Amino acid sequence: MLDQTQLKHNAAQAAIQYIQPLLGPDVVLGVGTGSTVDLFIDALEAHKALFRGAASSSERSAVRLRARGITVFDLNEVSAMPVYVDGADEIDAQLNMIKGGGGALTREKIVASVAGQFVCIVDESKLVAGLGRFPLPVEVIPMAREAVARRLTELGGRPVLRDGFVTDNGCQILDVAGLRIPDPADLEARVNNIPGVVCCGLFALDGADVALISTQDGVRRIDRQPA
């Protein structure tokens, strides 16, 4: 029986195999944030001579990339990238996701928006029939925190401030439990339209293109189906 760390390691290795045909001397990769991505970064070190560098969704990942000898580019220096690799806190069979457990959700969405495809790497515990068991992170401008919390309560959620945490953007996170999410894209749009919300952790309007899900029986690949 593989433990969760071994499952994450297998997902990271599968991502390395997936991106290898996309590497080249001018290629900049998009790299996300989280424990599975940490393992991906570690594995990426052996291939660093095959690509130009990476654009990161967080300071945490940028530090790890630099420590592995991988050049980190500001996203403003990057006009295109073939692939963005990141994890998820939850993902469903349609490749909608909840992300932001590490607090990097806004930068994750921004970096992912520049990439040709989003590859999500997770262990099997993150695959769910329906999103919402994991509280939805919502990044908010500090002065709007209570106003946003009231609106999220009206949507049926129970928002709680992530105490003592400040995002790389200088904002705060409300973790919202109790939401029903039958239509992830609709809820994403509604939450993002609340004044004071920087970004919410639903990735459904632009979900993953490919999921590499590490299981006890190997890595399972799911591709997003055309709408």
Side-chain angles (χ1 to χ4, degrees):
M1 178 74 71
L2 300 175
D3 63 25
Q4 193 172 39
T5 298
Q6 291 169 316
L7 290 170
K8 290 179 178 182
H9 174 80
N10 289 348
Q13 289 297 326
I16 293 291
Q17 293 176 16
Y18 184 91
I19 68 166
Q20 280 182 313
L22 305 174
L23 299 180
D26 297 322
V27 167
V28 176
L29 298 173
V31 177
T33 303
S35 57
T36 308
V37 173
D38 285 346
L39 296 171
F40 170 73
I41 293 171
D42 294 346
L44 198 57
E45 181 178 9
H47 307 275
K48 63 186 178 184
L50 302 178
F51 62 101
R52 187 178 177 205
S56 171
S57 69
S58 69
E59 293 302 319
R60 163 183 162 169
S61 289
V63 168
R64 198 177 190 98
L65 285 159
R66 292 190 185 101
R68 303 300 182 277
I70 298 169
T71 301
V72 177
F73 290 90
D74 186 294
L75 190 65
N76 291 308
E77 303 173 291
V78 182
S79 59
M81 58 182 67
V83 63
Y84 174 70
V85 178
D86 203 355
D89 298 301
E90 287 186 341
I91 185 168
D92 65 18
Q94 289 72 48
L95 305 193
N96 304 303
M97 298 170 288
I98 286 181
K99 295 174 48 56
L105 57 158
T106 298
R107 294 192 180 196
E108 288 169 348
K109 280 192 180 181
I110 293 169
V111 180
S113 73
V114 178
Q117 57 181 312
F118 185 139
V119 176
C120 181
I121 54 174
V122 291
D123 66 84
E124 60 188 350
S125 69
K126 305 300 175 62
L127 182 62
V128 297
L131 301 178
R133 183 176 58 188
F134 189 92
L136 176 66
V138 179
E139 184 168 355
V140 298
I141 294 171
M143 70 166 288
R145 182 188 66 239
E146 293 305 314
V148 171
R150 288 191 291 272
R151 293 284 295 275
L152 292 170
T153 300
E154 291 171 4
L155 290 175
R158 299 188 300 275
V160 175
L161 177 66
R162 193 176 298 183
D163 193 37
F165 182 85
V166 177
T167 72
D168 287 344
N169 306 313
C171 295
Q172 296 175 316
I173 297 283
L174 293 171
D175 291 305
V176 189
L179 289 170
R180 293 182 63 255
I181 312 180
D183 186 338
D186 176 69
L187 183 61
E188 179 181 357
R190 293 170 69 186
V191 174
N192 283 345
N193 282 333
I194 297 172
V197 169
V198 178
C199 179
C200 82
L202 277 166
F203 285 61
L205 294 169
D206 289 296
D209 298 294
V210 176
L212 300 174
I213 303 169
S214 183
T215 76
Q216 295 294 332
D217 299 316
V219 176
R220 173 187 176 196
R221 173 173 167 175
I222 303 177
D223 292 271
R224 177 178 283 272
Q225 299 303 309

